[in-house]
Amino acid sequence: EFQNRVSGFITGLAQQYQGKRILLVTHGGAMQRMLKHATGAISGNNVRPFCANASLAVFRCKDAINWQLVTWNDTAHLEGMTLSTGW
């Protein structure tokens, strides 16, 4: 059910914004379902490959049908940052 919701959502976006760039901010579970939609790389309830918090994933879609994974789990933008534990 979750896979169907994510696949339907990103397919709708790809159709509506064909030829344009889209920025989505979401959690790792949805990212993994987008990966499955684009590549078929994971099956069932498998949640691999892992994606780190605040990581970037880049997908390309041609004709709202053909998907390509460009980048997965990119955390280069976080290099040099320190974790703050205080409010």
Side-chain angles (χ1 to χ4, degrees):
E1 185 179 308
F2 183 37
Q3 181 65 56
N4 290 337
R5 285 195 319 264
V6 172
S7 291
F9 179 72
I10 64 172
T11 296
L13 286 177
Q15 291 169 342
Q16 184 176 355
Y17 297 102
Q18 193 169 354
K20 305 214 178 196
R21 291 178 187 238
I22 301 169
L23 171 67
L24 297 178
V25 178
T26 189
H27 59 84
M31 285 179 58
Q32 289 164 336
R33 299 297 115 196
M34 290 173 12
L35 175 68
K36 180 177 181 177
H37 180 84
T39 68
I42 56 179
S43 62
N45 292 325
N46 187 355
V47 293
R48 301 283 188 257
F50 175 78
C51 58
N53 288 338
S55 66
L56 299 175
V58 176
F59 297 90
R60 286 192 182 128
C61 182
K62 183 176 182 180
D63 303 325
I65 297 170
N66 298 305
W67 292 83
Q68 176 186 19
L69 175 64
V70 177
T71 302
W72 179 257
N73 199 36
D74 180 359
T75 57
H77 59 286
L78 301 175
E79 289 178 16
M81 295 182 73
T82 57
L83 178 63
S84 173
T85 58
W87 295 86

